[in-house]
Amino acid sequence: MRLSQFHLHTTKETPADAEIISHKLMLKAGMIRKLAAGLYTWTPLGLRVLRKVERAVREEMDAAGAIELLMPTIQPQELWEETGRWEKFGGQLLKIKDRKEAGYCYGPTAEEVITDFARSELSSYKQLPVNFYNIQTKFRDEIRPRFGVMRAREFLMKDAYSFHISEDDLAREYRNMYDTYSRIFTRLGLKFRAVFADTGAIGGNASHEFHVLADSGEDAIAFSTGSDYAANVELAEAVAPGPRPVAAEAMRKVDTPTQKTCEDVAALLGIALERTAKSVAIMGEDGEGNDAGESGQFVLALVRGDHVVNEIKLAKLAGLGEYRLATEAEIVEHLGAQPGFLGPVNALRPIRVVADRSVAAMADFVVGANENGFHLAGVNWGRDLPEPEVADIRNVVEGDPSPDGHGTLGIARGIEVGHVFQLGRRYAEAMKCTVLDETGKAAVPLMGCYGIGVSRIVAAAIEQNHDDNGVCWPEAMAPWQAAVCVINPKKDAAVAEAAEALYRELNAAGIETVLDDRGLRPGAMFADMELIGIPHRIVVSERGVVAGTFEYRHRRANEAENLDRAGLGVKLGLAR
């Protein structure tokens, strides 16, 4: 490709509405252009990168035995009603009607469509296992689309769905897809982690997320310093501490007139924050612990003062069901005090107390006194209040023991770019999808679901690979691997001829090369090449032609170097 015949429009200004580096650089490099909120046109340059990612995904999925098809972006309402998700999916579902007033949605995912396809096409266990995949545009009506293509409303996604007659076979394909995803992200040159994850709204029995590691990542990842263990912080287990110390203090009430947070109470009393316990009051569905006629279950969840309650773990407590934070009126009704002075001692009404493992192991700790302006110090389980219900209900923190027993946990930021699920029979049962098993009886197949955010990978790669001058693409994702930059091509025929010959030679050798023959001044030309992130820059100039050398610089190198043809071949991996 000759840049004189290509559309490349870079800008020097940083866009005012761009919040993260990938959004800024994609706009400055001319990779995307905004059409509306969360909607972007991919320019020829951006599309080259997007297609590189798509090709890697497609080739690795094909190699893994998956079969590509193409499903519609517009999906009938009745399919979503079969699974109950027409209403449950919420505001992200863009609902539309055709001229006959029939309901449709712009597909945000394809579980319903693929299950409908399977119930029509699959009739026997002999056709299983099978894994269908689809690379297609999706739409989710984000409340606040932001960060460019990182959180756009319209995006390119690879979604795959497998069907199985047995749990063992589903587990085998799940592992196959896990390994395939690892190969895809390795091939693209990304630093990533596969982490245990919550199955969320899609549901299922097992789940892993694949995260590109970047400081700007929205998700916190807990990883072991001594093993391959990694999990989303929302799911990572907080291991129980050692045995509880022996009580050494008497319980006493302390005056805390304006101190409502654990931090302020600890500072007032001159104690470490980890000696305090914070109380979170919630209302769950009807269940044990309710008084007669009570409309909900009042629960007091306790975590150490330096820890944070994990809402996903809390939602999994037995008998709690759907829950919400208790209102101030409900808190006063059950505990007799305002928020900031709450605790598990001397509640006005029977309540359910759930203590995090770390709190259950505490002695001589401080909690609210259930009396405005006061806290209790020297509190001990079994003496001052009953032994609690114990559960893991907090976020892990840096330095916690790894749940697998190897090393301690570190915390990193990650950008989710892939997710694999074992769905089980949820969708197949809802949509009455069956096949005949070996005995000739109708059996509901098990399903797996495997998604990759193709367009999101582009932004995630930039978040991980950039410097002050622009993008530093991994070679597998770069729009071109090399750029031949010509100095004054119109004024020196020998220079133009040498550049043309090198350009043709590199492309013939399998190195995807662009020829910058626009005639720009060297500074502007080099700035463009750095901004768009070409890994190898080769300058052809009058001085170099006379000396028989080329000026070469790798995108990540600090200085350029003059190389003869053989030396250049070594840098580009062409040396025999």
Side-chain angles (χ1 to χ4, degrees):
M1 177 62 66
R2 292 171 171 78
L3 282 186
S4 61
Q5 301 171 3
F6 186 80
H7 178 78
L8 178 64
H9 184 194
T10 61
T11 62
K12 294 181 180 180
E13 296 78 20
T14 299
D17 64 341
E19 300 175 73
I20 60 174
I21 194 65
S22 61
H23 192 192
K24 295 175 182 178
L25 290 179
M26 290 182 79
L27 289 169
K28 290 181 68 175
M31 294 180 63
I32 57 172
R33 291 291 180 253
K34 183 178 178 180
L35 178 64
L39 302 176
Y40 291 89
T41 296
W42 288 78
T43 70
L45 179 70
L47 187 61
R48 289 187 67 88
V49 179
L50 187 66
R51 292 292 184 242
K52 294 287 184 71
V53 177
E54 184 179 339
R55 183 172 67 188
V57 171
R58 177 175 283 111
E59 289 178 357
E60 293 297 338
M61 289 296 292
D62 290 346
I67 306 169
E68 186 173 9
L69 48 62
L70 185 62
M71 293 179 279
T73 57
I74 305 301
Q75 304 176 7
Q77 174 179 344
E78 56 262 28
L79 291 185
W80 284 72
E81 288 178 337
E82 286 188 59
T83 61
R85 294 207 299 173
W86 183 254
E87 298 298 334
K88 287 183 180 179
F89 208 86
Q92 289 191 75
L93 194 63
L94 180 62
K95 299 176 181 180
I96 55 181
K97 290 184 180 294
D98 67 8
R99 67 180 67 194
K100 297 179 180 179
E101 292 298 305
Y104 293 87
C105 68
Y106 194 126
T109 183
E111 285 80 15
E112 282 81 2
V113 176
I114 195 66
T115 306
D116 179 69
F117 177 80
R119 68 183 174 184
S120 300
E121 298 288 322
L122 305 178
S123 58
S124 169
Y125 75 94
K126 294 180 181 180
Q127 295 171 275
L128 307 182
V130 66
N131 186 340
F132 298 111
Y133 79 94
N134 173 74
I135 300 177
Q136 180 62 281
T137 301
K138 301 288 190 295
F139 187 94
R140 296 179 185 176
D141 198 2
E142 296 275 356
I143 295 176
R144 186 181 163 222
R146 60 195 189 280
F147 306 152
V149 300
M150 187 77 77
R151 191 167 288 281
R153 293 194 293 170
E154 184 181 82
F155 52 94
L156 187 64
M157 180 179 176
K158 188 283 298 177
D159 44 344
Y161 304 91
S162 62
F163 295 83
H164 308 270
I165 201 68
S166 70
E167 295 277 0
D168 288 345
D169 198 54
L170 172 58
R172 177 202 57 77
E173 184 62 12
Y174 184 86
R175 184 69 214 189
N176 180 34
M177 287 294 99
Y178 180 101
D179 293 340
T180 300
Y181 277 33
S182 297
R183 288 193 297 271
I184 288 169
F185 299 125
T186 299
R187 173 174 167 173
L188 293 173
L190 300 173
K191 297 175 183 176
F192 69 96
R193 275 275 192 168
V195 305
F196 294 108
D198 188 75
T199 55
I202 291 181
N205 306 319
S207 174
H208 282 85
E209 293 173 352
F210 287 78
H211 288 259
V212 168
L213 302 181
D215 292 339
S216 59
E218 293 182 286
D219 297 307
I221 300 167
F223 63 92
S224 172
T225 59
S227 70
D228 291 334
Y229 174 84
N232 194 302
V233 164
E234 296 173 338
L235 194 68
E237 179 186 1
V239 177
R244 181 191 300 162
V246 176
E249 300 179 11
M251 185 174 71
R252 60 196 184 280
K253 187 161 70 173
V254 293
D255 189 5
T256 54
T258 61
Q259 288 74 25
K260 294 185 177 183
T261 67
C262 289
E263 290 81 2
D264 289 344
V265 171
L268 177 69
L269 300 182
I271 61 174
L273 182 58
E274 55 263 32
R275 287 191 59 193
T276 67
K278 68 178 72 170
S279 302
V280 179
I282 60 176
M283 292 296 294
E285 294 176 335
D286 291 341
E288 285 187 31
N290 292 331
D291 288 347
E294 194 173 320
S295 60
Q297 178 185 176
F298 188 93
V299 180
L300 199 65
L302 303 177
V303 295
R304 217 167 66 184
D306 57 334
H307 290 159
V308 175
V309 170
N310 183 309
E311 294 181 0
I312 289 179
K313 291 180 179 179
L314 203 59
K316 294 179 180 179
L317 287 177
L320 183 63
E322 296 287 337
Y323 75 92
R324 58 173 172 78
L325 292 176
T327 65
E328 186 166 337
E330 290 167 336
I331 290 171
V332 171
E333 177 186 356
H334 287 82
L335 301 177
Q338 295 175 340
F341 304 103
L342 310 182
V345 182
N346 298 326
L348 296 181
R349 303 179 65 180
I351 62 172
R352 180 181 178 186
V353 176
V354 180
D356 181 69
R357 292 168 173 174
S358 58
V359 175
M362 292 171 68
D364 302 326
F365 57 94
V366 176
V367 293
N370 287 327
E371 182 179 346
N372 293 341
F374 294 94
H375 279 72
L376 296 175
V379 177
N380 285 275
W381 300 107
R383 185 193 70 185
D384 306 314
L385 72 170
E387 292 290 342
E389 176 184 345
V390 181
D392 172 20
I393 57 171
R394 71 171 174 92
N395 284 342
V396 295
V397 296
E398 188 114 12
D400 277 346
S402 178
D404 66 356
H406 301 286
T408 58
L409 292 179
I411 307 294
R413 305 301 301 183
I415 301 167
E416 184 189 343
V417 292
H419 208 156
V420 293
F421 301 86
Q422 288 188 31
L423 290 178
R425 295 186 172 90
R426 172 181 173 180
Y427 293 94
E429 284 181 341
M431 298 184 69
K432 298 179 175 57
C433 174
T434 62
V435 297
L436 297 180
D437 64 16
E438 292 181 351
T439 67
K441 295 181 179 179
V444 178
L446 294 142
M447 292 176 60
C449 171
Y450 321 97
I452 283 182
V454 177
S455 50
R456 199 170 212 233
I457 287 174
V458 177
I462 295 173
E463 292 294 327
Q464 191 180 83
N465 298 276
H466 68 273
D467 61 17
D468 291 341
N469 296 321
V471 185
C472 302
W473 290 116
E475 288 206 24
M477 294 181 62
W480 297 279
Q481 294 171 282
V484 174
C485 298
V486 195
I487 306 297
N488 293 327
K490 295 182 180 179
K491 295 182 179 180
D492 194 318
V495 169
E497 184 178 338
E500 178 75 22
L502 180 61
Y503 163 68
R504 292 182 179 277
E505 181 183 349
L506 294 181
N507 277 303
I511 297 177
E512 206 171 14
T513 304
V514 64
L515 178 65
D516 193 344
D517 58 346
R518 294 175 295 169
L520 299 182
R521 292 181 179 276
M525 180 165 48
F526 298 163
D528 272 355
M529 293 304 102
E530 290 189 324
L531 176 59
I532 68 176
I534 307 302
H536 306 279
R537 189 190 77 196
I538 307 152
V539 180
V540 182
S541 64
E542 181 182 4
R543 180 184 301 176
V545 169
V546 172
T549 60
F550 304 93
E551 182 185 285
Y552 168 82
R553 183 176 178 182
H554 191 275
R555 178 63 183 83
R556 296 182 183 273
N558 293 323
E559 301 291 339
E561 49 189 320
N562 291 314
L563 302 172
D564 60 17
R565 182 63 188 82
L568 182 62
V570 171
K571 291 291 186 180
L572 297 175
L574 296 178
R576 293 182 173 84

